[in-house]
């Protein structure tokens, strides 16, 4: 019997050729929100990797929702135009379906890029006013302005407008970024949301913004295209968002037509207490999958093909996402296929690199997976 890792996975009108996902990875290399040569290389080569799904970096729905001024954006048509040649390359030469992660950084916006330690940048020094559910700063970062209900509605509309652009651009799937302490997550967690209106207080009130964003995107995103949400399934902190809360949210999302939950964790507070090790977030994906009955994507130190396969056969998740492992070995799916005795997508230009094609044995096609 073949592996689960290399078996197809249907999501609405999309069938992924295998269960390997390239996790979204911010590149901090965009110019005024626009993708450029780096993105062509980065996304282009990952589209050739054999992964079934490639998700773009967190892509901002509003200029003030960027972590840094070099994040990719989707709040204007020129961002879609800049990404078009990248998507065209991936389509023409790659084997991966293409997803986009949409986000707003909330109270973690306006900082330097990752390799400059994400230091806060104030307004007047090149930064901007940042926004959050409550006037509670992430420790060491700028103080956010609390959002009014009118501003909340505008941001919900911003998510929908960005999704409509992603659709016109031909993206196959959207992952809403509801994790890592960014805007959606900061509404969910009681550590960052202390509002007393209908967006704060009770669990259902704290879930409201996430669900409104989901509904607004679902309304403009074609019925046949999958839509999911990445969440931080726990804050790993006393008084914070919990796995039980995540199950509650996942059930609500499922009832609204959500196709998958990606189970990440943390990011709300530097006081989070977690032990990081191989597959450390898999139990979160497992719990959500079982208790909410929704497909899950596991992520976090999944580095070995047999480890990935065991996550799937153990029914902890339906998909496995790799981030650092893909940067370190961008042909990870090719090697995983070799190890598991499977076939995987190769671009025709590279198929002679496959060990079965060495020694003049050109009779074994490897590309038609
Ligand atoms: C360079 C880099 C950039 C990242 N950017 C994003 C991002 O844009 N959105 C997101 O949800 N997670 C982001 N992450 C987190 C990864 O998607 C992933 O969840 C995390 O790295 C754990 O998986 P791994 O152990 O396979 O790297 C990033 C991680 C890395 C290493």
């Amino acid at each position: 019997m073949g592996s689960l890792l290399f078996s197809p996975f249907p999501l609405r009108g999309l069938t992924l050729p295998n269960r390997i996902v390239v996790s979204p990875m911010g590149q901090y290399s965009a110019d005024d929100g626009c993708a450029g040569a780096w993105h062509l290389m980065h996304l282009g080569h990952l589209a050739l990797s054999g992964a079934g799904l490639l998700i773009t970096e967190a892509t901002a729905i509003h200029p003030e929702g960027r972590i840094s001024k070099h994040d990719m954006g989707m709040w204007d048509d020129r961002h879609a135009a800049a990404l078009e040649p990248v998507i065209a390359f991936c389509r023409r030469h790659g084997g991966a379906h293409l997803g986009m992660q949409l986000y707003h950084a909330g109270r973690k916006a306006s900082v330097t890029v990752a390799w400059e330690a994400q230091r806060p940048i104030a307004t007047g020094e090149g930064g901007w006013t940042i926004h959050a559910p409550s006037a509670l700063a992430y420790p060491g970062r700028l103080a956010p302005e609390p959002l009014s209900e009118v501003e909340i509605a505008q941001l919900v509309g911003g998510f929908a407008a960005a999704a409509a652009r992603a659709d016109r651009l031909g993206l196959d799937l959207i992952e809403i970024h509801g994790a890592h302490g960014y805007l959606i997550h900061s509404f969910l967690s009681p550590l960052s949301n202390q509002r007393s209106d209908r967006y704060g207080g009770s669990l259902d009130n704290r879930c409201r913004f996430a669900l409104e964003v989901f509904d607004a995107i679902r309304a403009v995103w074609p019925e046949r295209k999958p839509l999911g949400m990445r969440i931080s399934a726990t804050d790993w902190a006393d008084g914070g968002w919990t796995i039980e809360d995540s199950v509650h949210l996942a059930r609500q999302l499922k009832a609204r037509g959500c196709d998958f939950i990606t189970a990440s964790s943390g990011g709300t507070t530097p006081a989070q207490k977690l032990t990081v090790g191989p597959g450390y977030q898999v139990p979160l994906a497992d719990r959500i999958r079982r208790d909410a009955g929704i497909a899950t994507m596991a992520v976090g130190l999944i580095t070995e093909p047999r480890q990935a396969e065991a996550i799937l056969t153990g029914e902890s998740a339906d998909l496995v996402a790799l981030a650092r492992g893909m940067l370190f070995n961008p042909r990870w799916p090719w090697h995983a296929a070799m190890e598991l005795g499977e076939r995987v997508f190769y671009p025709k230009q590279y198929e002679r690199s496959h060990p079965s094609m060495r020694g003049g044995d050109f009779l074994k096609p490897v590309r038609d997976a």
Side-chain angles (χ1 to χ4, degrees):
M1 216 181 74
S3 70
L4 261 183
L5 191 61
F6 286 94
S7 67
F9 186 66
L11 275 171
R12 287 188 185 252
L14 188 69
T15 299
L16 302 177
N18 60 53
R19 315 293 186 97
I20 305 168
V21 180
V22 182
S23 204
M25 284 180 274
Q27 297 299 295
Y28 306 100
S29 300
D31 184 7
D32 197 17
C34 290
W38 179 265
H39 302 86
L40 179 60
M41 183 286 293
H42 171 70
L43 294 170
H45 87 117
L46 291 171
L48 307 180
S49 70
L53 175 65
L54 164 62
I55 306 183
T56 67
E57 67 189 79
T59 303
I61 61 104
H62 190 280
E64 291 174 354
R66 289 175 295 172
I67 299 172
S68 83
K69 65 179 180 193
H70 296 294
D71 294 17
M72 220 159 71
M74 200 42 63
W75 69 85
D76 192 280
D77 288 345
R78 68 197 154 81
H79 300 132
L83 206 49
E84 208 175 323
V86 178
I87 303 294
F89 176 92
C90 294
R91 290 265 183 245
R92 177 161 178 216
H93 298 293
H97 288 283
L98 304 174
M100 175 169 276
Q101 189 186 53
L102 290 178
Y103 95 121
H104 186 297
R107 69 179 190 155
K108 292 174 98 174
S110 192
V111 295
T112 56
V113 298
W115 50 87
E116 289 170 6
Q118 300 203 316
R119 283 187 306 277
I121 310 178
T123 7
E125 292 166 21
W128 54 87
T129 305
I130 66 169
H131 299 278
S134 303
L136 293 166
Y138 183 87
R141 299 282 180 92
L142 301 180
E145 300 272 328
L147 288 162
S148 69
E149 290 211 12
V150 171
E151 289 167 326
I152 289 173
Q154 286 167 349
L155 290 176
V156 169
F159 271 97
R165 268 183 205 103
D167 175 42
R168 291 195 290 275
L169 195 53
L171 273 298
D172 302 307
L173 169 150
I174 284 179
E175 179 180 75
I176 302 167
H177 196 345
H180 304 166
Y182 300 126
L183 187 64
I184 292 176
H185 183 190
S186 69
F187 270 91
L188 297 173
S189 175
L191 297 176
S192 44
N193 180 351
Q194 295 181 0
R195 296 175 75 96
S196 52
D197 63 1
R198 62 201 184 97
Y199 289 96
S202 69
L203 175 58
D204 281 329
N205 277 357
R206 282 181 281 115
C207 289
R208 191 179 308 281
F209 181 63
L211 297 176
E212 285 183 356
V213 168
F214 181 87
D215 288 345
I217 294 182
R218 192 66 274 177
V220 299
W221 189 238
E223 181 66 28
R224 68 181 191 285
K225 294 191 180 184
L227 175 61
M229 191 178 287
R230 170 176 283 224
I231 60 172
S232 279
T234 169
D235 281 339
W236 304 113
D238 289 343
W241 179 259
T242 65
I243 181 66
E244 287 75 22
D245 297 338
S246 292
V247 169
H248 177 82
L249 175 63
R251 285 187 181 133
Q252 310 281 315
L253 286 166
K254 187 189 174 196
R256 295 166 131 85
C258 183
D259 300 300
F260 66 92
I261 298 285
T262 306
S264 190
S265 69
T268 284
T269 166
Q272 62 188 24
K273 290 192 180 64
L274 73 156
T275 309
V276 174
Y280 65 104
Q281 294 173 145
V282 172
L284 303 170
D286 182 277
R287 176 78 184 274
I288 293 167
R289 190 176 187 275
R290 274 171 220 284
D291 289 2
I294 190 167
T296 56
M297 193 187 302
V299 67
L301 287 182
I302 300 168
T303 54
E304 306 305 320
R306 287 179 200 284
Q307 173 200 18
E309 177 68 7
I311 291 166
L312 301 173
T313 54
E315 300 187 352
S316 291
D318 302 275
L319 298 163
V320 288
L322 284 79
R324 290 165 291 183
M326 286 297 301
L327 295 187
F328 193 67
N329 177 5
R331 308 283 185 254
W332 191 92
W334 295 5
H335 297 281
M338 278 295 287
E339 189 170 329
L340 300 179
E342 295 279 7
R343 290 144 68 93
V344 70
F345 170 86
Y346 271 65
K348 58 183 178 300
Q349 294 90 336
Y350 286 0
E351 59 187 21
R352 288 177 65 182
S353 69
H354 192 277
S356 73
M357 301 281 271
R358 292 176 197 156
D361 176 8
F362 294 110
L363 296 175
K364 293 180 189 158
V366 291
R367 192 174 174 270
D368 60 345

